Amino acid sequence: MSYRKTLKLICGFAGGSAVLVLAGAAADSRGYFGEQRGEATSRWSRFNVLQAAQPASSHTPAPTGHSWDFNWDKRDPSSLSNGKKKEAASEDPSSEQDNGKPKATRNILLIRHSQYNLSGNSDKERILTPLGREQAELTGKRLAALGLKYDVLIHSSMARATETAHIISKHLPGVELLSCDLLREGAPIEPVPPVTHWKPDAVQYHEDGARIEAAFRRYIHRADPKQKEDSYEIIVCHANVIRYFVCRALQFPPEGWLRMGLNNGSITWLTIRPSGRVALRTLGDAGFMPPDKLTRT
């Protein structure tokens, strides 16, 4: 068996780049690559090529050291204390704690409003475009096709979100429709890295940030212990709000919210387990729309 065939066989069995590097170095030193032993420069250049095939340990991401905060929503049963006295000495403390533990999972589907009239001077004039109304119809059909038992449809009080929600609701008969001012669009927190095309002043960050954080605390949390079944809630709002919610829910740095992009009418799905664990099932899903209907205005 030739040396090259032997080398190929060894690498095939081992499957490791380290074996390749060692075998290659040995072959190189014996002149199997076609050079004489005295050709040091050429020999070491080839060895360096082989060495580059090895994974660089310095490129391996290091853990940040930040652990998951299970009491991020301040609803962890182990951290709650109602101060009530036991009615009977024989009462089982563990039983009382179990009764106070959430048992259901909350599914929150965050919908970005459809395309709207950017040239409107006021919120009332920034209504959906004809394409935007088509997008809302497609989103409504998609939500209906999922076959989920929706509990409520909450929407921002801004015109574009309200109109989007009302079109979607036609496909979800019987689902309660609610409006909320906290969900209005705004500047949640100064983004990092900064951008040049959008620079709200400090006052806007101060005011909008507090409002959007209040919206997060109202709507993004684990289920109440009294909730027996898993829930599915739809929130129609805005890109900035949704991106901020995602960062906060996943315990990512909230100032990174502008690093994500969302299409109009897209679906972002958060799942909150009774333990406080949060999962992002979809981010800005718009695959149910034809390519010519996709926009990001």
Side-chain angles (χ1 to χ4, degrees), residues 19-40:
V19 174
L20 176 62
V21 171
L22 292 174
D28 190 48
S29 66
R30 297 178 184 180
Y32 283 101
F33 286 141
E35 300 90 7
Q36 299 299 319
R37 289 180 58 89
E39 298 176 349

Short mmCIF file of all heavy atoms in Angstrom, two decimals, residues 19-40:
data_model
loop_
_atom_site.label_atom_id
_atom_site.label_comp_id
_atom_site.label_asym_id
_atom_site.label_seq_id
_atom_site.Cartn_x
_atom_site.Cartn_y
_atom_site.Cartn_z
N VAL A 19 -4.66 14.30 13.37
CA VAL A 19 -4.00 13.18 12.71
C VAL A 19 -3.47 13.61 11.35
O VAL A 19 -2.38 13.27 10.93
CB VAL A 19 -4.98 12.00 12.56
CG1 VAL A 19 -4.33 10.87 11.75
CG2 VAL A 19 -5.39 11.49 13.92
N LEU A 20 -4.28 14.41 10.66
CA LEU A 20 -3.86 14.90 9.35
C LEU A 20 -2.59 15.74 9.44
O LEU A 20 -1.69 15.63 8.63
CB LEU A 20 -5.00 15.73 8.74
CG LEU A 20 -4.72 16.41 7.38
CD1 LEU A 20 -4.43 15.36 6.33
CD2 LEU A 20 -5.90 17.28 6.98
N VAL A 21 -2.55 16.60 10.46
CA VAL A 21 -1.39 17.47 10.62
C VAL A 21 -0.14 16.67 10.93
O VAL A 21 0.92 16.88 10.34
CB VAL A 21 -1.64 18.50 11.74
CG1 VAL A 21 -0.36 19.26 12.07
CG2 VAL A 21 -2.73 19.47 11.30
N LEU A 22 -0.24 15.69 11.84
CA LEU A 22 0.93 14.88 12.21
C LEU A 22 1.42 14.04 11.05
O LEU A 22 2.61 13.97 10.76
CB LEU A 22 0.58 13.99 13.40
CG LEU A 22 0.34 14.72 14.73
CD1 LEU A 22 -0.13 13.74 15.80
CD2 LEU A 22 1.62 15.42 15.18
N ALA A 23 0.46 13.43 10.35
CA ALA A 23 0.85 12.59 9.21
C ALA A 23 1.44 13.45 8.09
O ALA A 23 2.39 13.06 7.42
CB ALA A 23 -0.37 11.81 8.70
N GLY A 24 0.85 14.62 7.90
CA GLY A 24 1.33 15.52 6.86
C GLY A 24 2.74 15.99 7.15
O GLY A 24 3.56 16.13 6.25
N ALA A 25 3.00 16.27 8.43
CA ALA A 25 4.34 16.72 8.81
C ALA A 25 5.37 15.63 8.56
O ALA A 25 6.48 15.89 8.07
CB ALA A 25 4.35 17.14 10.28
N ALA A 26 4.98 14.38 8.90
CA ALA A 26 5.90 13.27 8.68
C ALA A 26 6.17 13.07 7.20
O ALA A 26 7.30 12.85 6.76
CB ALA A 26 5.32 11.99 9.29
N ALA A 27 5.11 13.15 6.39
CA ALA A 27 5.25 12.99 4.95
C ALA A 27 6.13 14.08 4.37
O ALA A 27 6.95 13.86 3.48
CB ALA A 27 3.88 12.99 4.28
N ASP A 28 5.93 15.29 4.87
CA ASP A 28 6.69 16.43 4.37
C ASP A 28 8.18 16.27 4.66
O ASP A 28 9.02 16.59 3.83
CB ASP A 28 6.14 17.70 5.01
CG ASP A 28 6.70 18.96 4.38
OD1 ASP A 28 6.69 19.02 3.12
OD2 ASP A 28 7.14 19.83 5.13
N SER A 29 8.48 15.76 5.88
CA SER A 29 9.88 15.62 6.27
C SER A 29 10.59 14.55 5.45
O SER A 29 11.81 14.57 5.31
CB SER A 29 9.98 15.30 7.77
OG SER A 29 9.42 14.03 8.02
N ARG A 30 9.81 13.61 4.91
CA ARG A 30 10.40 12.52 4.13
C ARG A 30 10.41 12.82 2.63
O ARG A 30 10.80 11.99 1.83
CB ARG A 30 9.64 11.23 4.38
CG ARG A 30 9.72 10.77 5.83
CD ARG A 30 8.91 9.51 6.06
NE ARG A 30 8.92 9.14 7.47
CZ ARG A 30 8.27 8.07 7.94
NH1 ARG A 30 7.57 7.29 7.12
NH2 ARG A 30 8.32 7.81 9.23
N GLY A 31 9.90 13.98 2.27
CA GLY A 31 9.95 14.38 0.87
C GLY A 31 8.81 13.86 0.03
O GLY A 31 8.90 13.85 -1.19
N TYR A 32 7.69 13.42 0.66
CA TYR A 32 6.57 12.89 -0.11
C TYR A 32 5.79 13.99 -0.82
O TYR A 32 4.94 13.70 -1.65
CB TYR A 32 5.63 12.09 0.79
CG TYR A 32 6.16 10.72 1.13
CD1 TYR A 32 6.75 10.50 2.38
CD2 TYR A 32 6.11 9.68 0.21
CE1 TYR A 32 7.24 9.25 2.70
CE2 TYR A 32 6.59 8.44 0.53
CZ TYR A 32 7.16 8.21 1.77
OH TYR A 32 7.65 6.98 2.09
N PHE A 33 5.97 15.23 -0.46
CA PHE A 33 5.30 16.33 -1.14
C PHE A 33 6.12 16.83 -2.34
O PHE A 33 5.76 17.80 -2.97
CB PHE A 33 5.06 17.49 -0.18
CG PHE A 33 3.95 17.22 0.79
CD1 PHE A 33 4.07 17.64 2.11
CD2 PHE A 33 2.81 16.54 0.39
CE1 PHE A 33 3.05 17.40 3.00
CE2 PHE A 33 1.79 16.29 1.29
CZ PHE A 33 1.91 16.72 2.59
N GLY A 34 7.25 16.18 -2.59
CA GLY A 34 7.99 16.51 -3.80
C GLY A 34 9.20 17.40 -3.56
O GLY A 34 9.93 17.71 -4.48
N GLU A 35 9.48 17.81 -2.33
CA GLU A 35 10.62 18.67 -2.07
C GLU A 35 11.74 17.85 -1.41
O GLU A 35 11.49 16.79 -0.83
CB GLU A 35 10.26 19.83 -1.13
CG GLU A 35 9.17 20.76 -1.64
CD GLU A 35 7.81 20.29 -1.21
OE1 GLU A 35 7.76 19.34 -0.41
OE2 GLU A 35 6.80 20.85 -1.66
N GLN A 36 12.91 18.36 -1.47
CA GLN A 36 14.03 17.76 -0.75
C GLN A 36 14.04 18.27 0.68
O GLN A 36 13.46 19.31 0.99
CB GLN A 36 15.35 18.12 -1.45
CG GLN A 36 15.45 17.62 -2.89
CD GLN A 36 15.37 16.11 -2.98
OE1 GLN A 36 15.97 15.42 -2.14
NE2 GLN A 36 14.67 15.59 -3.98
N ARG A 37 14.68 17.55 1.56
CA ARG A 37 14.71 17.91 2.97
C ARG A 37 15.31 19.30 3.18
O ARG A 37 15.00 19.99 4.14
CB ARG A 37 15.52 16.87 3.76
CG ARG A 37 14.82 15.54 3.90
CD ARG A 37 15.67 14.56 4.68
NE ARG A 37 16.00 15.06 6.00
CZ ARG A 37 15.23 14.85 7.07
NH1 ARG A 37 14.09 14.20 6.95
NH2 ARG A 37 15.62 15.30 8.24
N GLY A 38 16.19 19.75 2.29
CA GLY A 38 16.84 21.03 2.47
C GLY A 38 15.94 22.21 2.15
O GLY A 38 16.29 23.35 2.46
N GLU A 39 14.81 21.96 1.49
CA GLU A 39 13.93 23.05 1.11
C GLU A 39 13.04 23.42 2.30
O GLU A 39 11.86 23.12 2.34
CB GLU A 39 13.09 22.67 -0.10
CG GLU A 39 13.94 22.36 -1.33
CD GLU A 39 13.10 21.89 -2.50
OE1 GLU A 39 11.90 21.61 -2.29
OE2 GLU A 39 13.63 21.77 -3.60
N ALA A 40 13.65 24.05 3.29
CA ALA A 40 12.95 24.30 4.56
C ALA A 40 11.80 25.26 4.41
O ALA A 40 10.73 25.09 4.99
CB ALA A 40 13.95 24.85 5.59
#
